[in-house]
Amino acid sequence: MKKILLTLLLLNSALLAEINVAVSYPFIAALTKTVGGDKVEIVTLAKGNWDPHFVVPRPSLIRQVSRADLLIINGGGLEIGWMPPLIRQSHNRHIQPGTKGFLDLSQFLTLIDKPTSVSRANGDIHPEGNPHYVTDPYVMPKLANAIAQRLSEIDPDHSTEYQNNATTFEKKWQINLARWEKEMAPMKGTELIQYHELFNYFLKRYGLVSVGNIEPLPGINPSSRHTLELIKYMKAHNVKLILQDVYHSSKTAKYIAEKTGAKEILMPHDVDAVHEADTLTHLYDTMIKRITQ
Ligand SMILES: [Zn+2]
């Protein structure tokens, strides 16, 4: 009897996930699941409808990081306010920066909007460039490959499986990219404003132009003076679109919409930011549907 139980126990643990992965945001979880399949157990530290810049390093998050074999972050400074204390307090030597248990996805990309000078007078800017590359669907295959590479280093026994999953993803993704390209083509050249420079990668990819931000400076709340200037500019240049994110108040966007006749669109910036954006594919489907309709 004891022997049977022991065998069952061993079998069970063999079937369990082999790598505990903690990731900062839902899009990383989606990519990691696609590549890692049932070989990974994933915890996502920040929710998709949260402000990605500000996450409270609560004890529950510290516990999740302390159990991880691999920590995957967005990087580019997006987690600078909350990830370092989590890593420190987790006392987990496996996921420290510089080890193979730490993966910064921004290292595989070239960030845009790198400021030429960094000063506090410019607000809470991103000194390493714009870290919100998640809004560009074209970066995803590259990131899937980076994750496959790292999972292979940690778990060489399943390396072929990880590489194959990344390749399959890339093939399927090309079909999505072609479809989105077609759907976005009529939007080329459209001018709009956004709350924060959250969608610059998306806009650049599809040739749309951001002519202003509702926040007067990054991380600074809207001011009436700046809002009136925006309204004046939008009226003069016939700007008819406002991209609002899901985690800031939409009060100012609604006011601007009312004064200019522009359309305010609630744009998801990550998987699960809004209900329909429940997968990586649905994230871009939703963004594109909302901006084109
Ligand atoms: Zn930002």
Side-chain angles (χ1 to χ4, degrees), residues 123-143:
D124 178 29
I125 54 169
H126 296 299
E128 296 170 48
N130 189 319
H132 305 293
Y133 57 73
V134 51
T135 62
D136 179 6
Y138 282 75
V139 305
M140 293 302 151
K142 201 179 258 181
L143 301 184

Side-chain angles (χ1 to χ4, degrees), residues 51-53 78 124 126 130-132 196-198 215 218 247:
D51 181 339
H53 309 81
L78 187 51
D124 178 29
H126 296 299
N130 189 319
H132 305 293
H196 174 70
E197 295 194 336
L198 198 53
E215 55 178 14
Y247 54 84

Side-chain angles (χ1 to χ4, degrees), residues 160-177:
T160 316
E161 191 176 330
Y162 301 137
Q163 300 299 340
N164 286 346
N165 288 345
T167 308
T168 307
F169 169 75
E170 187 163 5
K171 277 185 192 147
K172 284 188 189 158
W173 203 246
Q174 295 304 333
I175 300 168
N176 281 334
L177 291 177

Side-chain angles (χ1 to χ4, degrees), residues 17-22 41-43 45 59-71 86-87 89-95 101:
E18 306 189 3
I19 309 174
N20 285 313
V21 188
E41 182 72 35
I42 304 165
V43 290
L45 301 170
S60 60
L61 300 188
I62 297 170
R63 271 199 304 280
Q64 288 174 333
V65 174
S66 71
R67 284 197 287 259
D69 304 308
L70 172 62
L71 173 66
L86 270 187
I87 294 177
Q89 289 172 58
S90 74
H91 298 293
N92 180 350
R93 65 188 168 84
H94 301 293
I95 52 88

Side-chain angles (χ1 to χ4, degrees), residues 177-194:
L177 291 177
R179 176 166 57 85
W180 293 326
E181 188 80 47
K182 217 185 252 172
E183 289 169 356
M184 283 302 291
M187 299 298 292
K188 213 167 190 166
T190 303
E191 293 191 336
L192 50 78
I193 65 162
Q194 53 186 337

